[in-house]
Amino acid sequence: MHSIFWPGRVLSRAIRNGLSSFSNAAELNVSTKKHPYLVSVVCGFPKDIANGRSHKGQFGDDAWFSTNFNNADVIGVADGVGGWRAYGIDPGEFSSYLMRTCERLVRMGHFKMSEPGDLLAKSYYELLEHKKPILGSSTACVMILDRNESIMRAANIGDSGFMVVRGGRVVHRSHEQQHYFNTPYQLSLPPPGHDRNVLSDRPESAETAEFKVECGDVILVATDGVFDNVPEPVLVAEMRRAGEGAAGDGVKLQGVANSIAWMARNLSFDGCYMSPFAKSARQNGIDAIGGKPDDITVLLAIVAL
């Protein structure tokens, strides 16, 4: 698998670097053409562009990773719960540690291709044992492609998630897990004495999925800043564009990821827009309109041979 990183603030430089890296990776993958593999790209924005993080692996309080080991390609996103900032806790540390640990465990081969939920659990329990407590909460979604079996397996907890488009239609999609409106399932480590006041779900509560993939399948893994602001039909239309032509076209894939991320960013600050989030709020008796300002992370992948 090869991924191209596209931070929202350095677009022209990132695409030059990304294109160069992509061509090299394409040459390396020639010998494995009989097995499917993922070509992945990333684009995102912190909610506060002026002061938020925007570097490899993180956009604001969102975090992501993309890596591989032997015959497995693994991707994931996490969304730190911003409410911790009011208690002097950096919400991005929890999500970033969770994803960095997942990436390290994969690169070391300390994971099971058949159990993405186990990878997420190992990362979380390692976080709990850290000498210096890493406080906070996060949602997360991790996906593992078994190249030999052409099988994708996913584990999702909370309202980050994934969507798979094949032939212009959705064939697989995660379902958000909510305790109640705008309160997703989340992995947590609260400060001492706050255990009873903080929602904390076990990684074993993650929704899991397993399905066959085909060459040309387009896979979106994203945080709720995308799903809360961009309607599903619009996402599908964008993902359909990524699937047109030769599978593995990293340039086209990057353009679509950029488009989705920019769209989510712009709509999130549109106060007159009836966003998916506003529609959900109204279904829960809350008179709302407009987008939901949030960090945006778009990890877009295509299955290639």
Side-chain angles (χ1 to χ4, degrees), residues 79 134 176:
D79 181 1
I134 300 172
E176 66 178 24

Side-chain angles (χ1 to χ4, degrees), residues 199-268:
L199 291 171
S200 183
D201 300 286
R202 296 175 57 83
E204 291 79 11
S205 300
E207 175 195 61
T208 58
E210 177 179 318
F211 48 87
K212 282 276 190 179
V213 294
E214 299 178 5
C215 181
D217 283 358
V218 181
I219 302 164
L220 170 67
V221 188
T223 52
D224 67 328
V226 175
F227 298 115
D228 281 343
N229 289 298
V230 186
E232 183 172 306
V234 178
L235 290 174
V236 172
E238 289 293 314
M239 293 169 70
R240 184 187 299 119
R241 286 200 301 121
E244 295 171 349
D249 184 346
V251 180
K252 177 183 286 186
L253 195 65
Q254 186 69 73
V256 173
N258 298 347
S259 177
I260 292 173
W262 274 109
M263 193 181 309
R265 168 75 182 175
N266 292 334
L267 291 174
S268 71

